[in-house]
Amino acid sequence: MRLGVVGFAPGDPRAVTAEVLKKGLDQGVTSVCYHGPGEILNDLTPADFNRVNALYDELGLELAQFGIGYRECLFDPDRAVRDGVIKTICRGIEAGRAHRAHNVLIRTGSLNPAGSYDPTPENHEPGRLDVLIDTLSRVADKAEEEGMTVVIETHVLTIMGSPEINRKVIEAVGSDRLRVVMDFVNHFQSLDQAYRSTERLNHIFDVMGPISTVAHIKDISVEPGFVVHMNEEVPGAGVLDLVTAVRRWEEIQPQSYMLVEHLPEDKIPTAVANVRRIAAEAGVEIV
């Protein structure tokens, strides 16, 4: 497998420098990824991408994932809102192609105005999934036109809240250019699953593995409090059987990336070192 990070680089390609990218290179990874805010995408020029691509080439780095930032919900009842966010995503797909990204990342959003990963019963009302599938079909059309792969970041708190729903949505759209992120941490739903993580991980990989092209590697810590509190954790510092996770990813996508993410810069070196140790224990070579 390959190993990268989401971090170090700022969200604007125009602000990416060799000095920033070398922070990732110093960790021995081969990809430094970031998210580009939707509002800047129309301002980016071919020269901007040529400059940053040259930096990646000079340092021997790849861009495994380019994230598109936006707040809108892909299944908003208002067609105008959906049309607007599709326009942003389409521009992001073009930016990802210009930036030679392996994958462009999107999210479903939420009808809770507090944020894209904030839950609400409205997300699960009848018909919501049909609207989402219609939006994603339009996104997939653009992805096919540009020859780009779009991956959806899914989560237990969102409309795509289980491996089974993920598979259902991807099959309904029916495009090889629309996949999901293998972010297994996002699909632990109970303490039982966390404490018996090998079983849950194997189920997640069985269902989502065939529809994933990039993975995020994190861990889970269980915290006290009412009712249940499970937090993301540095890989190797939580309760999950990450040896199984790394081994299963290698079986499914031996040439694809696992990305360390959602960490402050000072914790990234520990995370990367832990992933290397876990991969060695799993008998998986990081190339």
Side-chain angles (χ1 to χ4, degrees):
M1 77 175 203
R2 298 179 183 181
L3 182 60
V5 298
V6 182
F8 296 125
D12 190 334
R14 295 167 297 188
V16 174
T17 65
E19 181 181 8
V20 164
L21 294 179
K22 284 177 181 177
K23 291 182 180 180
L25 197 64
D26 288 344
Q27 306 308 313
V29 302
T30 53
S31 183
V32 176
C33 308
Y34 59 95
H35 296 245
E39 56 268 21
I40 72 166
L41 295 175
N42 285 328
D43 298 330
L44 299 175
T45 68
D48 294 327
F49 290 112
N50 290 339
R51 184 195 68 82
V52 75
N53 288 344
L55 290 177
Y56 273 75
D57 287 345
E58 180 182 344
L59 296 172
L61 292 171
E62 301 178 293
L63 184 64
Q65 172 189 292
F66 178 71
I68 307 172
Y70 52 84
R71 292 188 59 83
E72 296 89 347
C73 176
L74 300 191
F75 51 98
D76 193 289
D78 188 335
R79 173 80 181 205
V81 171
R82 301 198 304 275
D83 288 347
V85 72
I86 288 172
K87 186 176 180 180
T88 297
I89 291 172
C90 287
R91 177 58 186 134
I93 292 171
E94 294 171 352
R97 175 184 51 76
H99 206 349
R100 303 187 314 215
H102 298 187
N103 303 274
V104 168
L105 180 142
I106 64 173
R107 62 187 65 81
T108 63
S110 173
L111 293 175
N112 185 334
S116 295
Y117 295 97
D118 287 87
T120 173
E122 292 180 65
N123 289 346
H124 309 285
E125 292 174 347
R128 302 296 191 201
L129 208 58
D130 293 333
V131 176
L132 174 65
I133 290 168
D134 177 73
T135 299
L136 291 174
S137 296
R138 296 167 66 188
V139 170
D141 288 344
K142 178 65 173 178
E144 290 175 0
E145 177 186 331
E146 298 292 337
M148 280 298 306
T149 298
V150 173
V151 291
I152 311 166
E153 177 80 85
T154 64
H155 193 280
V156 65
L157 297 180
T158 72
I159 189 172
M160 293 178 70
S162 72
E164 291 77 14
I165 294 174
N166 289 349
R167 188 75 171 261
K168 176 182 177 179
V169 168
I170 295 301
E171 290 179 350
V173 174
S175 170
D176 289 341
R177 286 297 182 179
L178 186 71
R179 308 280 90 176
V180 298
V181 178
M182 175 51 77
D183 200 333
F184 47 84
V185 160
N186 290 356
H187 291 290
F188 277 77
Q189 302 160 326
S190 68
L191 285 178
D192 182 62
Q193 290 176 357
Y195 289 147
R196 299 169 60 191
S197 67
T198 303
E199 178 181 342
R200 181 61 178 171
L201 283 165
N202 279 320
H203 176 74
I204 293 169
F205 275 89
D206 286 345
V207 178
M208 289 172 52
I211 56 170
S212 300
T213 55
V214 66
H216 296 168
I217 183 160
K218 295 171 287 193
D219 213 327
I220 286 177
S221 61
V222 178
E223 307 294 341
F226 297 102
V227 175
V228 176
H229 296 267
M230 295 190 294
N231 295 325
E232 292 182 344
E233 183 57 90
V234 171
V239 300
L240 298 190
D241 175 12
L242 294 185
V243 169
T244 290
V246 168
R247 188 176 290 140
R248 290 298 308 269
W249 184 246
E250 173 72 7
E251 292 170 356
I252 294 166
Q253 291 281 1
Q255 297 302 314
S256 295
Y257 275 92
M258 278 192 143
L259 302 175
V260 170
E261 64 156 5
H262 291 176
L263 290 173
E265 288 190 10
D266 64 319
K267 290 189 176 182
I268 291 177
T270 298
V272 170
N274 286 358
V275 173
R276 291 188 181 281
R277 172 181 54 78
I278 291 162
E281 186 177 346
V284 171
E285 182 183 7
I286 296 175
V287 298

